[in-house]
């Protein structure tokens, strides 16, 4: 399924605003689309007054004082490392940049490609270039990939904050600052919404290729298993995309699983996979919400579906803002303002009700 135009343009806007200036060819390569497509998007964003075009380059329309053109002095740069093609974390980047810009710090954005261990060389490059602190959201497609990063991350000698990543208790990164969404609470919102509408048999379809996906699956399993009103539940993969070094996993036929479980509602993660699964249901004669109520998880493009999907929305931008504020406090501590305790911050998601859920 092609990436929605609105989402692609938001990613372009985020990338340009994070850097101040970006080459059209570089944007096309990062988004894995043609230069012509990016030019068309840039033209529309320029028409809306959100970007300024140059010869082969794009510039942000933010006030000049927020985008210093001067050469970066030693110690005034914060490296932000996020995965390639990850719109969810690009929204967190937006929030972080607002705080860092206001503090007079330059953001150096590093995009980690979709290969195992991609974050370490990006961080090392940023530090070699003089970054004084790091905001980081490793991809961590599997628990093994996560553990492989623990040692070098724990050894970093600059202030570092993890975004949307929460290492297990007792791990080498337990004492690293982190800010993330409370995905257990997000799962709770989804289940309680459906149960409140009278649904008693549920299906959960989640990804299995990120810490968020694995946390969400565990939370849904726990909540449904303990809920006195949930009579039956089943789980399936919402996508076959796992770790890059693994073979694709078959995704269960959702319509067949709904019939087998006698389910009347589903929670689907994430948005694009949810939209595709709703299409699959329609092809199999299952109407949303008449035959099956659907709640999506992420709420990046859920509202663009037909019907628009009820969705749990983690506080993506707020995660970035709080992480950046925590990083600033940590930087203040390096200037003699006292040692601050390590913080592990959780922010609560919200639920937006749209047209994909209804009472039985």
């Amino acid at each position: 399924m092609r990436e929605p135009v609105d989402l692609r343009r938001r990613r372009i806007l985020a990338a340009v605003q994070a850097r101040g200036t970006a080459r059209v060819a570089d944007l096309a390569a990062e988004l894995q689309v043609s230069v012509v497509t990016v030019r068309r998007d840039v033209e529309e964003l320029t028409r809306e007054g959100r970007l300024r075009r140059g010869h082969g380059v794009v510039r942000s329309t933010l006030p000049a004082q927020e985008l210093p053109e001067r050469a970066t002095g030693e110690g005034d740069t914060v490296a932000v490392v996020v995965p390639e093609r990850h719109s969810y974390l690009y929204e967190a980047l937006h929030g972080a940049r607002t705080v860092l810009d206001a503090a007079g710090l330059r953001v150096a954005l590093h995009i980690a490609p979709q290969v195992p261990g991609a974050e370490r060389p990006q961080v090392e490059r940023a530090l070699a270039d003089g970054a004084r602190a790091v905001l980081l959201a490793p991809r961590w497609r599997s628990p093994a990939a996560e553990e492989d990063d623990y040692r070098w991350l724990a050894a970093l000698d600059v202030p570092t904050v993890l975004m949307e990543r929460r290492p297990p208790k007792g791990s080498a990164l337990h004492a690293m600052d982190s800010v993330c969404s409370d995905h257990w609470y997000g799962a709770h919102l989804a289940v309680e919404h459906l149960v409140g509408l009278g649904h008693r048999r549920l299906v959960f379809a989640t990804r299995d290729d990120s810490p968020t996906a694995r946390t969400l699956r565990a939370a849904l399993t726990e909540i449904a298993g303990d809920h006195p009103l949930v009579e039956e539940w089943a789980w399936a993969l919402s996508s076959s995309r796992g770790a890059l070094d693994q073979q694709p996993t078959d995704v269960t036929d959702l319509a067949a699983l709904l019939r087998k479980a006698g389910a009347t509602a589903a929670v689907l993660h994430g948005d694009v996979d949810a939209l595709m699964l709703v299409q699959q249901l329609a092809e199999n004669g299952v109407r949303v919400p008449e035959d099956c109520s659907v709640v999506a998880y992420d709420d990046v493009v859920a509202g663009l579906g037909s019907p628009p999907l009820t969705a749990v929305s983690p506080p993506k931008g707020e995660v970035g803002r709080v992480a950046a504020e925590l990083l600033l406090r940590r930087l203040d501590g390096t200037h003699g303002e006292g040692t601050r305790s390590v913080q592990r911050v959780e922010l609560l998601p919200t639920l937006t009700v749209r047209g994909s859920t209804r009472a039985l």
Side-chain angles (χ1 to χ4, degrees):
M1 179 178 178
R2 290 185 178 179
E3 182 177 54
V5 174
D6 179 68
L7 175 57
R8 188 178 65 242
R9 288 176 180 171
R10 287 166 63 186
R11 293 178 61 198
I12 290 172
L13 192 62
V16 176
Q17 289 184 344
R19 306 169 199 176
T21 302
R23 295 175 64 245
V24 171
D26 292 341
L27 292 170
E30 290 173 16
L31 274 64
Q32 297 184 12
V33 297
S34 70
V35 171
V36 172
T37 296
V38 172
R39 284 176 180 161
R40 188 182 304 120
D41 290 338
V42 166
E43 287 177 2
E44 181 58 30
L45 291 169
T46 300
R47 190 176 300 112
E48 295 172 1
R50 305 169 77 182
L51 292 179
R52 289 183 291 124
R53 281 193 303 161
H55 184 64
V57 298
V58 191
R59 294 182 175 84
S60 174
T61 56
L62 290 178
Q65 63 268 26
E66 295 188 38
L67 295 168
E69 296 292 338
R70 60 180 174 80
T72 302
E74 182 179 357
D76 66 356
T77 300
V78 171
V80 180
V81 182
V82 295
E84 177 186 13
R85 297 178 66 81
H86 203 307
S87 58
Y88 181 110
L89 289 170
Y90 285 178
E91 291 197 34
L93 166 64
H94 264 303
R97 182 173 183 263
T98 301
V99 173
L100 296 172
D101 279 349
L105 295 173
R106 175 180 174 271
V107 172
L109 179 62
H110 294 260
I111 307 294
Q114 299 186 55
V115 294
E119 287 78 16
R120 181 172 183 175
Q122 298 293 332
V123 172
E124 291 175 344
R125 173 187 168 190
L127 297 180
D129 289 342
R132 62 185 287 195
V134 177
L135 280 178
L136 175 67
R139 189 176 298 274
W140 286 346
R141 286 185 176 272
S142 67
E146 180 177 341
E147 292 177 8
D148 287 344
D149 282 346
Y150 283 175
R151 182 173 298 179
W152 69 267
L153 276 173
L156 291 178
D157 59 359
V158 298
T160 302
V161 177
L162 295 173
M163 295 189 298
E164 284 294 21
R165 300 294 181 257
R166 182 58 52 83
K169 295 177 181 179
S171 70
L173 298 188
H174 190 170
M176 178 173 282
D177 291 318
S178 62
V179 179
C180 71
S181 303
D182 183 346
H183 295 297
W184 184 95
Y185 184 74
H188 166 77
L189 288 176
V191 172
E192 287 299 326
H193 174 65
L194 294 171
V195 169
L197 292 174
H199 299 281
R200 299 293 181 263
R201 292 172 173 264
L202 312 175
V203 164
F204 306 126
T206 69
R207 302 176 64 86
D208 195 26
D209 60 354
S210 74
T212 295
R214 292 186 288 274
T215 298
L216 184 58
R217 177 185 176 183
L220 289 167
T221 299
E222 174 190 336
I223 292 167
D226 293 342
H227 203 295
L229 297 180
V230 175
E231 299 173 0
E232 185 76 27
W233 65 273
W235 175 84
L237 278 174
S238 61
S239 172
S240 64
R241 290 169 286 181
L244 294 181
D245 57 350
Q246 296 178 355
Q247 293 297 317
T249 304
D250 289 337
V251 178
T252 302
D253 183 329
L254 186 60
L257 184 59
L258 286 167
R259 288 191 293 269
K260 180 178 180 180
T264 58
V267 180
L268 309 180
H269 173 240
D271 278 8
V272 173
D273 295 318
L275 293 171
M276 295 178 70
L277 287 170
V278 168
Q279 291 175 10
Q280 179 194 109
L281 291 178
E283 292 166 359
N284 284 273
V286 179
R287 300 168 300 168
V288 174
E290 291 83 359
D291 303 320
C292 178
S293 287
V294 169
V295 176
Y297 198 98
D298 275 355
D299 205 16
V300 177
V301 293
L304 302 178
S306 180
L309 302 183
T310 294
V312 174
S313 179
K316 301 171 279 291
E318 188 68 10
V319 165
R321 284 190 290 274
V322 173
E325 290 166 356
L326 178 53
L327 193 68
L328 290 179
R329 291 195 294 271
R330 186 64 62 197
L331 285 168
D332 287 341
T334 67
H335 287 99
E337 295 191 12
T339 302
R340 298 179 183 272
S341 299
V342 172
Q343 296 187 44
R344 293 162 63 88
V345 182
E346 285 190 333
L347 304 175
L348 299 186
T350 56
L351 177 76
T352 300
V353 177
R354 300 191 180 98
S356 64
T357 53
R358 63 182 292 181
L360 281 179

